[in-house]
mmCIF file of all heavy atoms in Angstrom:
data_model
loop_
_atom_site.group_PDB
_atom_site.id
_atom_site.type_symbol
_atom_site.label_atom_id
_atom_site.label_comp_id
_atom_site.label_asym_id
_atom_site.label_seq_id
_atom_site.Cartn_x
_atom_site.Cartn_y
_atom_site.Cartn_z
ATOM 1 N N PRO A 85 9.702 -25.558 -25.254
ATOM 2 C CA PRO A 85 8.321 -25.961 -24.968
ATOM 3 C C PRO A 85 7.311 -24.904 -25.415
ATOM 4 O O PRO A 85 7.611 -23.707 -25.445
ATOM 5 C CB PRO A 85 8.318 -26.105 -23.443
ATOM 6 C CG PRO A 85 9.395 -25.168 -22.985
ATOM 7 C CD PRO A 85 10.453 -25.222 -24.041
ATOM 8 N N TYR A 86 6.113 -25.381 -25.746
ATOM 9 C CA TYR A 86 5.037 -24.460 -26.080
ATOM 10 C C TYR A 86 4.654 -23.640 -24.844
ATOM 11 O O TYR A 86 4.808 -24.075 -23.705
ATOM 12 C CB TYR A 86 3.821 -25.229 -26.597
ATOM 13 C CG TYR A 86 4.050 -25.894 -27.938
ATOM 14 C CD1 TYR A 86 4.073 -27.289 -28.036
ATOM 15 C CD2 TYR A 86 4.251 -25.143 -29.089
ATOM 16 C CE1 TYR A 86 4.288 -27.912 -29.269
ATOM 17 C CE2 TYR A 86 4.476 -25.755 -30.322
ATOM 18 C CZ TYR A 86 4.495 -27.133 -30.397
ATOM 19 O OH TYR A 86 4.718 -27.738 -31.612
ATOM 20 N N THR A 87 4.152 -22.450 -25.058
ATOM 21 C CA THR A 87 3.742 -21.416 -24.071
ATOM 22 C C THR A 87 4.935 -20.659 -23.510
ATOM 23 O O THR A 87 4.787 -19.567 -22.998
ATOM 24 C CB THR A 87 2.913 -21.974 -22.887
ATOM 25 O OG1 THR A 87 3.745 -22.683 -21.976
ATOM 26 C CG2 THR A 87 1.763 -22.845 -23.370
ATOM 27 N N ASP A 88 6.140 -21.251 -23.557
ATOM 28 C CA ASP A 88 7.356 -20.651 -23.004
ATOM 29 C C ASP A 88 7.212 -20.284 -21.526
ATOM 30 O O ASP A 88 7.800 -19.329 -21.036
ATOM 31 C CB ASP A 88 7.782 -19.414 -23.808
ATOM 32 C CG ASP A 88 9.253 -19.067 -23.572
ATOM 33 O OD1 ASP A 88 10.087 -19.976 -23.649
ATOM 34 O OD2 ASP A 88 9.546 -17.886 -23.285
ATOM 35 N N GLY A 89 6.382 -21.038 -20.822
ATOM 36 C CA GLY A 89 6.324 -20.878 -19.369
ATOM 37 C C GLY A 89 5.344 -19.845 -18.861
ATOM 38 O O GLY A 89 5.388 -19.485 -17.679
ATOM 39 N N VAL A 90 4.440 -19.352 -19.722
ATOM 40 C CA VAL A 90 3.408 -18.441 -19.239
ATOM 41 C C VAL A 90 2.143 -18.648 -20.071
ATOM 42 O O VAL A 90 2.193 -18.745 -21.296
ATOM 43 C CB VAL A 90 3.861 -16.961 -19.293
ATOM 44 C CG1 VAL A 90 4.148 -16.498 -20.718
ATOM 45 C CG2 VAL A 90 2.838 -16.051 -18.620
ATOM 46 N N VAL A 91 1.014 -18.768 -19.375
ATOM 47 C CA VAL A 91 -0.281 -18.954 -20.030
ATOM 48 C C VAL A 91 -1.008 -17.619 -20.007
ATOM 49 O O VAL A 91 -1.172 -17.011 -18.938
ATOM 50 C CB VAL A 91 -1.113 -20.031 -19.315
ATOM 51 C CG1 VAL A 91 -2.455 -20.235 -20.018
ATOM 52 C CG2 VAL A 91 -0.341 -21.346 -19.242
ATOM 53 N N THR A 92 -1.436 -17.144 -21.171
ATOM 54 C CA THR A 92 -2.077 -15.830 -21.263
ATOM 55 C C THR A 92 -3.412 -15.943 -21.991
ATOM 56 O O THR A 92 -3.594 -16.806 -22.856
ATOM 57 C CB THR A 92 -1.178 -14.839 -22.025
ATOM 58 O OG1 THR A 92 -0.950 -15.335 -23.352
ATOM 59 C CG2 THR A 92 0.154 -14.643 -21.331
ATOM 60 N N GLY A 93 -4.334 -15.053 -21.645
ATOM 61 C CA GLY A 93 -5.625 -15.042 -22.323
ATOM 62 C C GLY A 93 -6.652 -14.240 -21.564
ATOM 63 O O GLY A 93 -6.329 -13.437 -20.687
ATOM 64 N N TRP A 94 -7.902 -14.481 -21.905
ATOM 65 C CA TRP A 94 -8.985 -13.772 -21.218
ATOM 66 C C TRP A 94 -10.153 -14.727 -20.989
ATOM 67 O O TRP A 94 -10.253 -15.792 -21.602
ATOM 68 C CB TRP A 94 -9.437 -12.548 -22.010
ATOM 69 C CG TRP A 94 -10.331 -12.849 -23.200
ATOM 70 C CD1 TRP A 94 -11.691 -12.980 -23.198
ATOM 71 C CD2 TRP A 94 -9.913 -13.075 -24.549
ATOM 72 N NE1 TRP A 94 -12.141 -13.268 -24.462
ATOM 73 C CE2 TRP A 94 -11.078 -13.322 -25.319
ATOM 74 C CE3 TRP A 94 -8.668 -13.072 -25.192
ATOM 75 C CZ2 TRP A 94 -11.037 -13.577 -26.685
ATOM 76 C CZ3 TRP A 94 -8.617 -13.328 -26.551
ATOM 77 C CH2 TRP A 94 -9.797 -13.572 -27.288
ATOM 78 N N GLY A 95 -11.038 -14.325 -20.086
ATOM 79 C CA GLY A 95 -12.243 -15.083 -19.790
ATOM 80 C C GLY A 95 -13.205 -14.167 -19.069
ATOM 81 O O GLY A 95 -13.131 -12.940 -19.218
ATOM 82 N N THR A 96 -14.078 -14.734 -18.259
ATOM 83 C CA THR A 96 -15.033 -13.912 -17.516
ATOM 84 C C THR A 96 -15.043 -14.294 -16.041
ATOM 85 O O THR A 96 -14.759 -15.441 -15.677
ATOM 86 C CB THR A 96 -16.463 -14.053 -18.084
ATOM 87 O OG1 THR A 96 -16.872 -15.431 -17.983
ATOM 88 C CG2 THR A 96 -16.531 -13.590 -19.527
ATOM 89 N N VAL A 97 -15.363 -13.326 -15.212
ATOM 90 C CA VAL A 97 -15.631 -13.535 -13.788
ATOM 91 C C VAL A 97 -17.019 -12.954 -13.531
ATOM 92 O O VAL A 97 -17.233 -11.748 -13.705
ATOM 93 C CB VAL A 97 -14.574 -12.850 -12.901
ATOM 94 C CG1 VAL A 97 -14.993 -12.919 -11.429
ATOM 95 C CG2 VAL A 97 -13.212 -13.498 -13.093
ATOM 96 N N GLU A 98 -17.955 -13.835 -13.191
ATOM 97 C CA GLU A 98 -19.355 -13.444 -13.040
ATOM 98 C C GLU A 98 -19.854 -12.720 -14.288
ATOM 99 O O GLU A 98 -20.570 -11.724 -14.220
ATOM 100 C CB GLU A 98 -19.555 -12.590 -11.788
ATOM 101 C CG GLU A 98 -19.237 -13.348 -10.508
ATOM 102 C CD GLU A 98 -19.577 -12.569 -9.241
ATOM 103 O OE1 GLU A 98 -20.127 -11.456 -9.360
ATOM 104 O OE2 GLU A 98 -19.301 -13.077 -8.143
ATOM 105 N N GLY A 99 -19.424 -13.238 -15.448
ATOM 106 C CA GLY A 99 -19.909 -12.735 -16.722
ATOM 107 C C GLY A 99 -19.196 -11.514 -17.258
ATOM 108 O O GLY A 99 -19.487 -11.080 -18.381
ATOM 109 N N ARG A 100 -18.240 -10.955 -16.522
ATOM 110 C CA ARG A 100 -17.531 -9.759 -16.981
ATOM 111 C C ARG A 100 -16.108 -10.132 -17.401
ATOM 112 O O ARG A 100 -15.438 -10.921 -16.739
ATOM 113 C CB ARG A 100 -17.488 -8.696 -15.882
ATOM 114 C CG ARG A 100 -18.881 -8.196 -15.475
ATOM 115 C CD ARG A 100 -18.791 -6.934 -14.629
ATOM 116 N NE ARG A 100 -17.989 -7.143 -13.439
ATOM 117 C CZ ARG A 100 -17.366 -6.170 -12.786
ATOM 118 N NH1 ARG A 100 -17.439 -4.924 -13.215
ATOM 119 N NH2 ARG A 100 -16.664 -6.424 -11.691
ATOM 120 N N THR A 101 -15.633 -9.526 -18.483
ATOM 121 C CA THR A 101 -14.335 -9.874 -19.053
ATOM 122 C C THR A 101 -13.183 -9.553 -18.101
ATOM 123 O O THR A 101 -13.136 -8.480 -17.495
ATOM 124 C CB THR A 101 -14.116 -9.117 -20.373
ATOM 125 O OG1 THR A 101 -15.150 -9.491 -21.299
ATOM 126 C CG2 THR A 101 -12.762 -9.453 -20.982
ATOM 127 N N VAL A 102 -12.253 -10.497 -17.991
ATOM 128 C CA VAL A 102 -11.035 -10.329 -17.194
ATOM 129 C C VAL A 102 -9.877 -10.932 -17.979
ATOM 130 O O VAL A 102 -9.995 -12.040 -18.517
ATOM 131 C CB VAL A 102 -11.156 -11.017 -15.818
ATOM 132 C CG1 VAL A 102 -9.814 -10.995 -15.091
ATOM 133 C CG2 VAL A 102 -12.228 -10.356 -14.969
ATOM 134 N N PHE A 103 -8.764 -10.218 -18.062
ATOM 135 C CA PHE A 103 -7.557 -10.729 -18.699
ATOM 136 C C PHE A 103 -6.642 -11.327 -17.627
ATOM 137 O O PHE A 103 -6.628 -10.867 -16.482
ATOM 138 C CB PHE A 103 -6.839 -9.619 -19.461
ATOM 139 C CG PHE A 103 -7.563 -9.199 -20.716
ATOM 140 C CD1 PHE A 103 -8.636 -8.321 -20.663
ATOM 141 C CD2 PHE A 103 -7.178 -9.711 -21.952
ATOM 142 C CE1 PHE A 103 -9.317 -7.952 -21.815
ATOM 143 C CE2 PHE A 103 -7.847 -9.348 -23.109
ATOM 144 C CZ PHE A 103 -8.925 -8.463 -23.034
ATOM 145 N N VAL A 104 -5.871 -12.335 -18.029
ATOM 146 C CA VAL A 104 -5.055 -13.038 -17.044
ATOM 147 C C VAL A 104 -3.780 -13.553 -17.690
ATOM 148 O O VAL A 104 -3.756 -13.909 -18.862
ATOM 149 C CB VAL A 104 -5.857 -14.215 -16.420
ATOM 150 C CG1 VAL A 104 -6.271 -15.219 -17.487
ATOM 151 C CG2 VAL A 104 -5.060 -14.914 -15.325
#
Side-chain angles (χ1 to χ4, degrees):
Y86 292 113
T87 75
D88 200 48
V90 62
V91 181
T92 60
W94 78 87
T96 60
V97 172
E98 296 186 4
R100 297 193 303 156
T101 299
V102 172
F103 288 81
V104 60

